[in-house]
Amino acid sequence: MVVVMEERATEEQIERVVAQLVTMGYDVHRSTGATRTVIGAVGGARMGDPRLVELLEGVQEVVRITEPFKLASRTFKQDDTVFLCGDVRIGGDEVIVMAGPCSAESEQQVQATAAAVKRAGAKVLRGGAFKPRSSPYSFQGLGEEGLRLLRAAADQHGLPLVTEVMDASQIEVVVQYADVLQVGARNMQNFTLLRELGKTRKPILLKRGISATIEEWLLSSEYVLAGGNMHVILCERGIRTFESYTRNTLDISAIPVVKKLSHLPVFVDPSHGTGRRDKVAPMARAAVAAGADGLLIEVHCDPDHALSDGAQSMFPSQFERLMAELRIIAPAIGRSICVEPVARRGWGR
Ligand code: PEP
Ligand code: MN
């Protein structure tokens, strides 16, 4: 349930409500908005009579959350969740583009790609060091050496870094290098990992599983939120359907659906969503037009020789061009996007 306090409720009254909820067996999460405090009560193995709370002083209303996801729901928190990652504001008016290679491969590749995405207006560097590959014989990532290369490039270009953590045992090392921890599609229901990430205080970018419903995806975010980490970004990256022309089917309709159900920021990954670099820009444009709070895009300085996901990685010139297009689309729907001047040289392929 959600307990909405009166605007002028005192701290003492709030604490009395919290104590009552704890006695009733609930886990309590406070959300202090611009005008009032809302208290989310989840769990409640020994569910008590909600009237015991309704009658307490300072309580305006007790609302039952009917969705199976509680802390992720708009009922618990009406305002969009906005938070800072370094000096990058996630979930605000500005559409944030995270870009970089699928995997860190070498110092030169990471540096060149980071420089290119920064120049084009990306606000966060992406790159994998621990790679979840369908085949155990494919390139598995450089591990901690990859993290070092990515961190150095991120620092050099003044960008925060998002990188994947595949297993709970990797959290300790990944948090030392990353600003945002990515949970890959294949791990969306790795509940042990999600629970451990709930204990960290770094933002989590949670990809949608390849065959996950929106409800399952939101329930996965709930594992992180319930641990006390409220900084979760949901990332739509395509789901598996009968269509085989594209690698996955990017579910653009998930954007308005999730934006209505949840206060969490919604990002879109059109690279894994399509698997083909010629389809990345149209889907990125569509995602921004549909209200995405940000994008996660694979860019490589030499995609034809990439060790992973080369076919879906954009050339820097294509990415630059896409950013210029997004600068036209974003304001049309009341959003902004990085306006740093871009050197417009040979847009080419
Ligand atoms: C990635 O971002 O490189 C990746 C492996 O993504 P996903 O988990 O969506 O396949
Ligand atoms: Mn990839």
Side-chain angles (χ1 to χ4, degrees):
M1 67 173 101
V2 160
V3 183
V4 183
M5 300 300 293
E6 287 171 356
E7 264 183 50
R8 49 186 194 329
T10 63
E11 186 53 35
E12 209 175 37
Q13 290 170 337
I14 294 170
E15 275 166 24
R16 192 120 28 86
V17 171
V18 170
Q20 175 66 43
L21 291 166
V22 170
T23 310
M24 288 163 79
Y26 287 105
D27 285 333
V28 175
H29 299 264
R30 266 178 78 159
S31 152
T32 308
T35 53
R36 64 181 81 230
T37 293
V38 172
I39 304 165
V42 290
R46 289 176 281 125
M47 273 256 271
D49 186 342
R51 283 173 299 185
L52 293 173
V53 182
E54 246 159 28
L55 288 167
L56 295 176
E57 275 182 55
V59 172
Q60 168 149 329
E61 196 183 3
V62 176
V63 186
R64 287 194 70 88
I65 305 185
T66 48
E67 298 98 340
F69 42 90
K70 311 288 178 195
L71 303 174
S73 78
R74 283 259 180 218
T75 319
F76 170 58
K77 186 168 178 286
Q78 283 179 347
D79 301 336
D80 288 345
T81 285
V82 180
F83 53 87
L84 281 177
C85 170
D87 60 355
V88 178
R89 217 163 152 256
I90 309 272
D93 286 342
E94 185 178 345
V95 174
I96 300 300
V97 179
M98 303 176 165
C102 176
S103 310
E105 300 167 10
S106 67
E107 184 175 2
Q108 183 279 332
Q109 170 252 9
V110 172
Q111 284 288 345
T113 308
V117 300
K118 166 78 183 190
R119 191 171 58 235
K123 284 294 176 79
V124 178
L125 178 66
R126 69 143 285 152
F130 295 104
K131 296 304 300 177
R133 304 305 303 281
S134 299
S135 163
Y137 309 119
S138 305
F139 175 58
Q140 303 287 308
L142 294 180
E144 190 166 358
E145 174 57 15
L147 293 175
R148 257 193 292 276
L149 297 178
L150 288 162
R151 182 74 260 164
D155 287 345
Q156 179 147 346
H157 299 283
L159 298 166
L161 172 67
V162 57
T163 192
E164 179 159 353
V165 53
M166 282 174 58
D167 184 89
S169 65
Q170 293 168 353
I171 295 177
E172 201 182 325
V173 60
V174 177
V175 289
Q176 293 171 40
Y177 295 92
D179 300 293
V180 179
L181 307 177
Q182 175 175 326
V183 176
R186 293 157 193 80
N187 260 324
M188 189 204 81
Q189 288 189 316
N190 180 340
F191 301 120
T192 315
L193 174 63
L194 296 174
R195 261 191 218 287
E196 288 302 315
L197 291 172
K199 297 179 193 159
T200 70
R201 288 298 169 262
K202 296 246 167 146
I204 308 300
L205 183 134
L206 178 62
K207 296 258 195 124
R208 181 178 181 180
I210 57 173
S211 58
T213 63
I214 287 173
E215 187 171 297
E216 288 166 338
W217 187 20
L218 288 167
L219 278 168
S220 288
S221 76
E222 195 78 13
Y223 274 87
V224 180
L225 302 174
N229 184 349
M230 301 306 282
H231 295 170
V232 176
I233 303 167
L234 296 166
C235 183
E236 162 64 40
R237 49 76 75 202
I239 48 176
R240 183 164 289 177
T241 69
F242 50 82
E243 182 51 65
S244 58
Y245 189 78
T246 45
R247 181 178 179 185
N248 291 289
T249 297
L250 190 65
D251 184 6
I252 295 281
S253 61
I255 305 164
V257 171
V258 176
K259 292 296 293 178
K260 175 139 193 215
L261 292 173
S262 177
H263 51 84
L264 296 173
V266 179
F267 276 46
V268 169
D269 170 351
S271 308
H272 294 85
T274 61
R276 303 171 56 107
R277 75 171 72 96
D278 60 332
K279 303 290 176 276
V280 171
M283 296 313 273
R285 297 192 300 253
V288 170
D293 297 299
L295 297 168
L296 182 71
I297 299 183
E298 287 184 342
V299 178
H300 195 290
C301 57
D302 181 12
D304 290 338
H305 297 101
L307 295 183
S308 64
D309 287 349
Q312 68 192 34
S313 298
M314 295 183 111
F315 286 90
S317 57
Q318 286 178 311
F319 179 65
E320 238 178 58
R321 180 181 199 140
L322 169 64
M323 289 300 292
E325 291 166 346
L326 297 179
R327 276 184 207 106
I328 297 168
I329 295 170
I333 53 153
R335 310 287 296 254
S336 63
I337 193 158
C338 172
V339 288
E340 276 160 34
V342 181
R344 298 188 178 200
R345 295 151 291 95
W347 275 350
R349 331 171 39 174

